[in-house]
Amino acid sequence: MGRNRKLGLDYFPMDVDFFQDIRIRKLIKYQGGKAVTVYALLLCIIYKQGYYVRWDDELPFIISEQTGFEEAYIQEVFKCCLIVGLFSKKLYDSDKVITSKGIQERYKSICDQLRRVCQFDEFGLISSEEIGISSEEIGISSEEIGISSEEIGISSEEIGISSEKKPINSAKSTQKKRKGNNKENSINRVKEKMGSDFGSCDIPLSELQHELSADSGWEEAIRLHLYRNGIKVFDHDMFLLWLDKFVISLKAGGTISKDRKGFMEHFRNWILTEIKRGATNLFQDTNDALLKSSECNKTYHKFLSYIKKQAPYCFSNMRLPTEEEFLLLRDKYGNDMFKNALCTIEGRVDIRSKWDVLYNAVLKQFEFMKDEK
């Protein structure tokens, strides 16, 4: 009976340009130098099991125990890793899987050095061409796998071959030359047929909206674009809302169709301008509603009222602590410590701009206050 194939690694290399990676630089800027420790530990956990790991509720506790950082901070670091592209957000959203193309490429490289069979049975982000398998390398032609020019929608006339043009008794070198030319023509025709320059023709706005509203990759690119420009709060519902507003504004201006590429570029610039125009008071209505609904709980209502009076910016622009979070803050840290932390956050733009959740910002400030002592 054969041994089970080993999946995990005993080591993995780190590039000397690790800290020059723009994603690492963003992670440090947004979450501080300690975030690299969290990211490195996640890599160790992943490579110990193979090329991916599933996120679960115990993972923040495990990392917290090993690093000494708060679980809330670890969750924020992980969220930032997804936003800047250190992990695949698409796989995380669909299957709670933590991995990336870079992780898998490094895993494959090590397996190759160890002469170990490398298979991406699930959640693979590397194509067969990148793994090193192509039809030419394994000696299979389009004829052998049963694909003809007719089946992909290209006739012999379209790729520039007719019975009159077929060379007869030509020299071997001439045949190769014609073959090369025909191959080049074929590729160009395929591109035209499949619409490789898919952004060059106008498409009705309703079709574009429907198509792009389901494009998670483009949505993530928009989210990252906004994050880079200081817009930290932007979820899927907001994406759909702004996309709808954009289409309405185009129709109001008389536009009924647009090329795909132009539509995407226009939306990218338009949404940043529009959000920044009214970027303040993002949570005003939500927090006012929460304050009103808390009237039956006098202690919690008093807590929220204090925030609204003493920290109006935080009240209007950050998600307020839930009742459960409020109890944790009160019981663990006390009222005086919370008031000091809140006062600092309210007066420090550099602190409050990093967080969209007041609870996490307060925990972070508690950590700074503890270090100062």
Side-chain angles (χ1 to χ4, degrees):
M1 183 176 178
R3 291 180 298 175
N4 293 331
R5 179 165 60 94
K6 183 176 181 180
L7 296 177
L9 301 177
D10 296 323
Y11 80 97
F12 66 92
M14 179 177 285
D15 296 334
V16 294
D17 290 332
F18 176 80
F19 286 96
Q20 300 306 313
D21 188 323
I22 188 65
R23 297 168 299 178
I24 297 298
R25 288 156 58 188
K26 288 177 180 177
L27 179 65
I28 293 173
K29 179 178 179 181
Y30 298 142
Q31 300 295 335
K34 296 188 301 182
V36 176
T37 303
V38 176
Y39 174 62
L41 184 50
L42 279 168
L43 290 180
C44 291
I45 293 172
I46 291 169
Y47 284 125
K48 189 172 183 179
Q49 297 191 32
Y51 58 89
Y52 75 89
V53 70
R54 288 186 183 274
W55 178 270
D56 59 45
D57 296 335
E58 298 299 326
L59 203 51
F61 170 77
I62 293 170
I63 298 174
S64 174
E65 190 179 39
Q66 293 180 315
T67 61
F69 305 152
E70 294 286 343
E71 289 184 45
Y73 173 69
I74 290 165
Q75 290 175 338
E76 288 298 321
V77 171
F78 175 67
K79 179 181 176 182
C80 187
C81 286
L82 291 173
I83 292 173
V84 302
L86 287 169
F87 298 124
S88 169
K89 191 173 188 303
K90 183 177 180 180
L91 277 180
Y92 174 75
D93 289 343
S94 61
D95 298 281
K96 297 297 181 184
V97 165
I98 312 174
T99 187
S100 72
K101 186 175 181 181
I103 289 172
Q104 295 184 12
E105 287 174 341
R106 193 178 298 114
Y107 175 80
K108 177 186 178 299
S109 175
I110 297 172
C111 286
D112 289 344
Q113 294 175 38
L114 297 174
R115 297 182 180 179
R116 183 193 296 179
V117 176
C118 177
Q119 294 179 344
F120 297 101
D121 300 324
E122 54 182 354
F123 310 121
L125 296 171
I126 304 178
S127 64
S128 59
E129 289 77 11
E130 291 172 299
I131 293 174
I133 302 174
S134 65
S135 59
E136 289 76 13
E137 289 177 303
I138 59 177
I140 301 177
S141 64
S142 60
E143 290 77 11
E144 289 176 298
I145 59 176
I147 300 176
S148 65
S149 60
E150 288 75 15
E151 288 178 299
I152 59 174
I154 302 175
S155 65
S156 59
E157 288 74 16
E158 286 181 299
I159 60 174
I161 302 174
S162 66
S163 58
E164 290 78 10
K165 293 181 183 180
K166 288 180 181 177
I168 303 175
N169 298 326
S170 58
K172 193 172 183 180
S173 60
T174 306
Q175 288 178 344
K176 287 184 177 180
K177 185 176 181 180
R178 284 185 181 275
K179 185 177 180 181
N181 290 337
N182 288 336
K183 183 178 180 180
E184 183 179 347
N185 290 336
S186 176
I187 292 172
N188 290 335
R189 295 292 183 181
V190 168
K191 286 182 177 180
E192 291 176 11
K193 197 77 175 179
M194 296 180 67
S196 60
D197 188 15
F198 54 82
S200 61
C201 58
D202 283 355
I203 303 172
L205 294 179
S206 57
E207 289 186 23
L208 283 171
Q209 182 179 2
H210 177 72
E211 176 188 348
L212 293 173
S213 64
D215 190 334
S216 59
W218 183 56
E219 179 184 341
E220 181 57 32
I222 294 296
R223 183 180 289 109
L224 182 58
H225 170 61
L226 297 176
Y227 193 90
R228 289 170 176 168
N229 286 277
I231 311 299
K232 305 296 177 65
V233 183
F234 191 78
D235 56 23
H236 180 64
D237 291 337
M238 293 175 69
F239 168 72
L240 295 178
L241 177 64
W242 283 104
L243 185 60
D244 190 52
K245 286 183 178 181
F246 177 62
V247 171
I248 291 172
S249 69
L250 288 178
K251 289 181 178 179
T255 302
I256 59 173
S257 63
K258 202 171 180 67
D259 66 274
R260 192 175 191 272
K261 185 177 180 181
F263 181 96
M264 294 167 73
E265 291 180 351
H266 189 177
F267 178 77
R268 184 175 183 271
N269 297 326
W270 175 87
I271 189 173
L272 179 61
T273 302
E274 291 298 311
I275 290 180
K276 281 199 168 184
R277 184 179 297 170
T280 56
N281 302 327
L282 295 175
F283 292 94
Q284 180 73 56
D285 294 340
T286 302
N287 292 340
D288 275 332
L290 179 64
L291 178 63
K292 187 174 182 179
S293 66
S294 68
E295 291 177 351
C296 58
N297 186 333
K298 293 183 179 180
T299 306
Y300 183 48
H301 182 75
K302 184 178 179 181
F303 170 76
L304 296 180
S305 299
Y306 179 84
I307 296 175
K308 183 174 184 178
K309 182 178 180 181
Q310 300 298 328
Y313 178 89
C314 291
F315 185 89
S316 301
N317 294 278
M318 303 175 81
R319 292 190 185 96
L320 296 182
T322 63
E323 185 175 353
E324 182 181 3
E325 290 170 339
F326 153 65
L327 293 174
L328 288 172
L329 290 173
R330 185 193 65 180
D331 296 343
K332 186 172 181 180
Y333 300 102
N335 291 331
D336 291 340
M337 193 171 181
F338 170 79
K339 290 177 180 178
N340 290 335
L342 182 66
C343 180
T344 302
I345 295 168
E346 177 70 12
R348 291 273 301 276
V349 176
D350 58 324
I351 295 177
R352 69 193 186 196
S353 63
K354 292 181 180 179
W355 306 93
D356 62 337
V357 182
L358 182 59
Y359 175 70
N360 291 335
V362 170
L363 291 180
K364 187 68 176 178
Q365 184 57 27
F366 284 162
E367 190 176 323
F368 285 134
M369 293 164 66
K370 183 179 178 181
D371 292 340
E372 289 176 358
K373 291 182 180 180

